[in-house]
Amino acid sequence: AQTVTQSQPEMSVQEAETVTLSCTYDTSESDYYLFWYKQPPSRQMILVIRQEAYKQQNATENRFSVNFQKAAKSFSLKISDSQLGDAAMYFCALVHDSGNTPLVFGKGTRLSVIA
Amino acid sequence: DTGVSQNPRHKITKRGQNVTFRCDPISEHNRLYWYRQTLGQGPEFLTYFQNEAQLEKSRLLSDRFSAERPKGSFSTLEIQRTEQGDSAMYLCASSPRGNGYEQYFGPGTRLTVT
């Protein structure tokens, strides 16, 4: 069974500063994908960033980047130059490479951005 | 590409009533997933379809729950004899052929059972 753990229920960051959200996971598979999803209040979930497990290079998407440590089964999200619009629930998720299994989500981290 | 749509967006029902939700996936996405999200939790998998075939069901999907995807297009999720514990956000997601790991989510249907 796969598990995803987010140990920070809530985080806050000052506008324009940098924040890192933590995620650890467990899977017996060698090929898988990891994701960070953003869910703003009362709005739908959107994909922030994706990491393929077979890639050593950390994924980046504009102000969002990850620190993927495969041996440690760690997958953290760094948000640089935080903006008010970044305030949301952030979910870490895992799926096996086959795509024949559903996403397994963590419990989420609520990020507040302070002006 | 209009994205995944779900209807209704909100549903309030009395305990014991039946409810049905609809999900329209992104056009030509062959996989469709249903998740349930309770307050303060991440989404939990309920069931998924590849085309019209229901391939997997979670143990969370009790006998009161049924899902269909006729003709491999839209999907419906029905809950019979609703209970207060069914109150949650029901999320639908779809993924394209060959990229089952790329799931695009709809806005969800929030169910409140009184």
Side-chain angles (χ1 to χ4, degrees):
Chain A
Q2 310 86 46
T3 60
V4 176
T5 302
Q6 294 179 248
S7 59
Q8 306 155 314
E10 296 184 355
M11 293 282 286
S12 63
V13 62
Q14 294 279 349
E15 199 174 4
E17 296 295 310
T18 295
V19 65
T20 298
L21 308 184
S22 301
C23 172
T24 58
Y25 62 93
D26 192 22
T27 178
S28 57
E29 300 289 327
S30 58
D31 296 324
Y32 50 90
Y33 291 83
L34 292 161
F35 306 87
W36 280 97
Y37 279 89
K38 172 185 177 182
Q39 189 177 40
S42 301
R43 295 181 63 185
Q44 69 194 78
M45 194 165 314
I46 58 174
L47 179 64
V48 174
I49 197 165
R50 181 182 81 208
Q51 175 78 45
E52 292 89 339
Y54 64 85
K55 288 186 176 179
Q56 291 187 337
Q57 186 173 6
N58 289 323
T60 62
E61 287 287 342
N62 300 314
R63 299 183 295 108
F64 298 87
S65 62
V66 298
N67 183 3
F68 174 48
Q69 301 289 328
K70 190 172 185 178
K73 294 184 177 177
S74 170
F75 182 62
S76 61
L77 174 70
K78 186 171 80 172
I79 307 174
S80 304
D81 185 25
S82 296
Q83 301 175 359
L84 295 177
D86 294 333
M89 284 291 290
Y90 286 82
F91 293 97
C92 180
L94 163 77
V95 71
H96 292 156
D97 185 30
S98 64
N100 290 327
T101 58
L103 286 164
V104 176
F105 286 87
K107 290 188 175 182
T109 297
R110 181 176 303 281
L111 178 66
S112 301
V113 181
I114 303 165
Chain B
D1 184 350
T2 58
V4 179
S5 62
Q6 293 187 245
N7 288 290
R9 295 290 306 277
H10 303 273
K11 179 70 176 179
I12 300 174
T13 191
K14 292 186 177 180
R15 189 177 56 186
Q17 298 294 305
N18 298 345
V19 294
T20 300
F21 310 140
R22 176 176 170 132
C23 171
D24 287 88
I26 294 172
S27 178
E28 297 184 358
H29 278 196
N30 68 329
R31 286 185 179 162
L32 186 148
Y33 303 79
W34 285 99
Y35 295 84
R36 182 172 71 184
Q37 185 179 21
T38 54
L39 205 59
Q41 302 292 320
E44 295 176 293
F45 168 72
L46 291 178
T47 188
Y48 96 92
F49 294 83
Q50 180 164 297
N51 301 314
E52 65 275 12
Q54 188 172 19
L55 295 189
E56 188 174 343
K57 293 193 291 186
S58 161
R59 60 179 171 76
L60 294 176
L61 213 67
S62 75
D63 291 344
R64 297 184 297 105
F65 289 69
S66 63
E68 294 182 341
R69 193 183 181 197
K71 302 180 181 178
S73 54
F74 69 92
S75 176
T76 58
L77 178 68
E78 181 183 17
I79 309 175
Q80 296 182 328
R81 305 181 304 281
T82 53
E83 303 173 355
Q84 286 190 322
D86 297 331
S87 296
M89 176 75 84
Y90 290 84
L91 297 170
C92 176
S94 68
S95 63
R97 190 181 307 275
N99 289 328
Y101 51 80
E102 285 188 12
Q103 295 186 23
Y104 298 84
F105 283 82
T109 293
R110 181 168 295 283
L111 173 66
T112 302
V113 181
T114 62

